[in-house]
Amino acid sequence: MTETGHIIIQYEKNQQKNRIFKRIIKKYPQKFLKYLGFDYEFIKLLDSIELYSTWENSKIDILMHVKERIDKNPSEENEYTNLEENSSFILHIEIRKSLVNRHIACENFEYASETYFQYRLPSKIVIISADEPKSKPLIMEIILDSPYTITIISLSEKSADECLNKITKKVENNEELNPYDLFDLIFLQFMTSSKYNQAELYEFSLRLVKEAKIDAEDRQEITDLLYLYLEDIVKMEEYEKVREDLMTGTISRYIQDEKNQTKDELMNKIVVNLLKENKDINFIQRITNLPPSKIKSIAQNASLI
């Protein structure tokens, strides 16, 4: 495959991530803001702006119209008054793996300019990073010695072990997970653990989403999002090994008895069960690495098409 073709496929995958993540955020916007530590009043999600120079394949873009919360009423914890019009702004949230460098800062500056011209609102930039070692405000001078601030939220500062223990106990006790638990499951593989590697945390997320007491729509959305993250959570040279581990680990949860079966038999059962869950051929191809013709052949043999 040509480099251009690879970029387009990665771009399309990123668009899928964006669509799924935005659906989750749209359902729990205020909870997501609180999860990130922001005390803003959510107004609405905005459409992202396409820049000709942006062909990122490792980030998610969220534009939220929010307001500062002013004059908190001490007698009512969640009551706010005097939400002034000029306190309104765009919160531009990026979720990415890479470290934040000057190129990324300049790209965000360009993006903030474009959003201002489209929405006539100032922007605050937040980057949720899987690679940055600590949360911090990053102040850079882009043009004319003008300070420009990006707030970095480091996922590596969160304890995966604590989140995993908390959610596992809830699942074992058949307690319903709240939206904060769901965000923890989405980001679990990017947190720091003293016990598990990234691939193992990813597998825990998939298993817990399947077993947890949550809304069926949330389960489907988060599962699809996690599958799309598979290639992002590991270095490309490790991808085949991790995918192979998942073939006999996480994804084999679909199979009741895998003992004494060949790899082809296991793969056929995985494909059949994914098809029964109404996964499309492109999705199954990403997970199994099988060509579309082989997937269609398995489906035909199973009388599924």
Side-chain angles (χ1 to χ4, degrees), residues 199-200 202-204 206 227 230 233 239-253 270 287:
E200 288 170 326
Y202 174 83
E203 186 169 341
F204 277 126
L206 276 174
Y227 276 130
L230 176 57
I233 66 169
Y239 172 65
E240 285 301 319
K241 178 181 181 304
V242 172
R243 189 176 60 79
E244 191 68 27
D245 290 342
L246 291 172
M247 284 296 107
T248 57
T250 300
I251 299 178
S252 64
R253 71 188 187 280
I270 290 168
I287 300 303

Side-chain angles (χ1 to χ4, degrees), residues 92-156:
H92 174 205
I93 302 171
E94 281 191 4
I95 305 171
R96 63 163 64 238
K97 275 184 59 63
S98 56
L99 294 170
V100 181
N101 54 32
R102 185 172 181 81
H103 169 76
I104 290 171
C106 289
E107 185 181 77
N108 275 278
F109 182 80
E110 178 188 5
Y111 199 89
S113 299
E114 290 292 331
T115 57
Y116 178 79
F117 283 115
Q118 177 155 334
Y119 295 112
R120 296 298 175 181
L121 289 168
S123 295
K124 291 187 179 181
I125 311 297
V126 175
I127 295 180
I128 304 172
S129 171
D131 286 354
E132 286 285 348
K134 63 182 295 185
S135 299
K136 60 184 178 182
L138 180 66
I139 302 174
M140 304 187 77
E141 292 181 353
I142 305 296
I143 54 172
L144 302 177
D145 298 324
S146 177
Y148 175 63
T149 302
I150 297 174
T151 300
I152 296 174
I153 297 176
S154 170
L155 293 173
S156 63

Side-chain angles (χ1 to χ4, degrees), residues 199-226:
E200 288 170 326
L201 291 173
Y202 174 83
E203 186 169 341
F204 277 126
S205 293
L206 276 174
R207 179 177 63 80
L208 289 169
V209 168
K210 177 178 182 290
E211 298 174 356
K213 186 177 180 181
I214 57 176
D215 177 79
E217 185 180 84
D218 289 344
R219 189 191 318 281
Q220 189 64 60
E221 297 279 31
I222 295 173
T223 299
D224 288 349
L225 185 62
L226 288 172

